[in-house]
């Protein structure tokens, strides 16, 4: 069974631009969560989608948004990029609503210049 | 104070040693406890999970949860150089978001 895939793997943007990251969950998984990982703050929860509905949201500004499609694929968008948005963005999928079987993708490394 | 505290290390041990990794937490509503392993430039990989209190063993790995002390541990027996990675604890309440520790960087020397 294929794992969680994320595209693109690497991205360089400049301040003020916007970016869209994509995540394809494991086949059959309906829950997709997004995380930001930085050396200083560690892994921080952004939001979770289950059957196209946002179930949980972390403490990030409104510039960070996401959505999930009917095939469970998910996208996250960051508008008006700031230097501090440079991070590894990780997507994780799970079969149902609980987190114990959550599997992570390889991440998208975003660098904002 | 962070909800989940984890010593970032780094921790360096010789091959074959027993490794003990720990996290403390403050939210008594946490019911699901996980350990992830993350190699450099990779996504975290789920190692073990435990629901509520107790122990769970899987090969060389043992996870323990002590809810009365709000303390969880991961033990690695007969550690190998391939175990060198960052280990992250994570936990959540029922239906809640996953909260991660900072991660402990482990290095197992041959």
């Amino acid at each position: 069974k294929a794992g969680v895939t994320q595209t693109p793997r690497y991205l360089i943007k400049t301040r003020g631009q916007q970016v869209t990251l994509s995540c394809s969950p494991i086949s059959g998984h309906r829950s997709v969560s997004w995380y930001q990982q930085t050396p200083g703050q560690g892994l921080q929860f952004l939001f979770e989608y289950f059957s196209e509905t946002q179930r949980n949201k972390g403490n990030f500004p409104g510039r960070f948004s996401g959505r999930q499609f009917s095939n469970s694929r998910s996208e996250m968008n960051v508008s008006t990029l700031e230097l501090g948005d440079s991070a590894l963005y990780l997507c994780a999928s799970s079969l149902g609503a609980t987190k114990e079987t959550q599997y992570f993708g390889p991440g998208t490394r975003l660098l904002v210049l | 104070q962070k909800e989940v505290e984890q010593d970032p290390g780094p921790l360096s041990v010789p091959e074959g040693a027993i490794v003990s990794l720990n996290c403390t937490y403050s939210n008594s509503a946490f019911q699901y406890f996980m350990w992830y392993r993350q190699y450099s430039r990779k996504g975290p990989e789920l190692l073990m999970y435990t629901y509520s209190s107790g122990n769970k063993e899987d090969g060389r790995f043992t996870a323990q949860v002590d809810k009365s002390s709000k303390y969880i541990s991961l033990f690695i027996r007969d550690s190998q150089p391939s175990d060198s990675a960052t280990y992250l604890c994570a936990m959540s309440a029922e239906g809640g978001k996953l909260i991660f520790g900072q991660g402990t960087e482990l290095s197992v020397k041959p």
Side-chain angles (χ1 to χ4, degrees):
Chain A
K1 196 181 248 190
V4 178
T5 57
Q6 292 186 246
T7 56
R9 292 293 311 279
Y10 303 93
L11 208 48
I12 299 175
K13 292 285 189 179
T14 55
R15 277 183 303 173
Q17 287 187 309
Q18 75 160 20
V19 67
T20 299
L21 311 181
S22 181
C23 171
S24 292
I26 292 171
S27 177
H29 284 195
R30 294 163 63 193
S31 173
V32 173
S33 297
W34 287 90
Y35 297 86
Q36 181 195 66
Q37 188 174 33
T38 58
Q41 298 299 316
L43 251 170
Q44 291 187 287
F45 173 79
L46 278 157
F47 28 67
E48 178 199 358
Y49 287 88
F50 182 79
S51 294
E52 302 179 66
T53 301
Q54 188 178 89
R55 277 171 33 91
N56 276 304
K57 192 176 189 306
N59 299 322
F60 279 82
R63 301 185 296 108
F64 292 82
S65 63
R67 60 178 175 167
Q68 187 179 33
F69 302 97
S70 57
N71 62 358
S72 294
R73 191 177 70 84
S74 178
E75 288 181 347
M76 68 161 280
N77 183 277
V78 188
S79 62
T80 320
L81 283 166
E82 299 177 1
L83 295 179
D85 296 334
S86 295
L88 179 67
Y89 289 88
L90 291 156
C91 164
S93 76
S94 60
L95 196 62
T98 52
K99 307 296 186 296
E100 69 273 17
T101 53
Q102 192 167 94
Y103 298 93
F104 281 81
T108 294
R109 192 164 293 277
L110 172 65
L111 177 61
V112 182
L113 301 175
Chain B
Q1 184 191 8
K2 290 186 176 182
E3 274 191 286
V4 179
E5 300 276 1
Q6 182 177 8
D7 187 340
L11 183 62
S12 182
V13 301
E15 184 175 353
I18 295 175
V19 176
S20 172
L21 304 165
N22 313 292
C23 288
T24 58
Y25 62 96
S26 57
N27 189 343
S28 56
F30 287 151
Q31 295 274 41
Y32 297 91
F33 303 92
M34 278 73 78
W35 286 96
Y36 286 83
R37 176 175 62 194
Q38 186 174 23
Y39 291 112
S40 181
R41 301 203 167 272
K42 301 279 189 183
E45 168 195 10
L46 179 65
L47 272 178
M48 299 188 72
Y49 78 88
T50 310
Y51 174 72
S52 195
S53 281
N55 295 357
K56 191 168 187 177
E57 189 173 318
D58 183 4
R60 296 184 295 111
F61 298 88
T62 299
Q64 288 184 352
V65 175
D66 181 350
K67 291 191 74 179
S68 61
S69 302
K70 296 191 179 68
Y71 187 88
I72 71 170
S73 301
L74 177 71
F75 297 96
I76 307 174
R77 291 184 299 281
D78 187 26
S79 56
Q80 302 295 310
S82 59
D83 295 328
S84 298
T86 296
Y87 289 80
L88 299 135
C89 65
M91 46 199 83
S92 74
E94 188 72 50
K97 57 188 180 184
L98 260 187
I99 308 296
F100 282 82
Q102 274 291 100
T104 300
E105 187 182 339
L106 171 67
S107 176
V108 182
K109 305 292 187 186

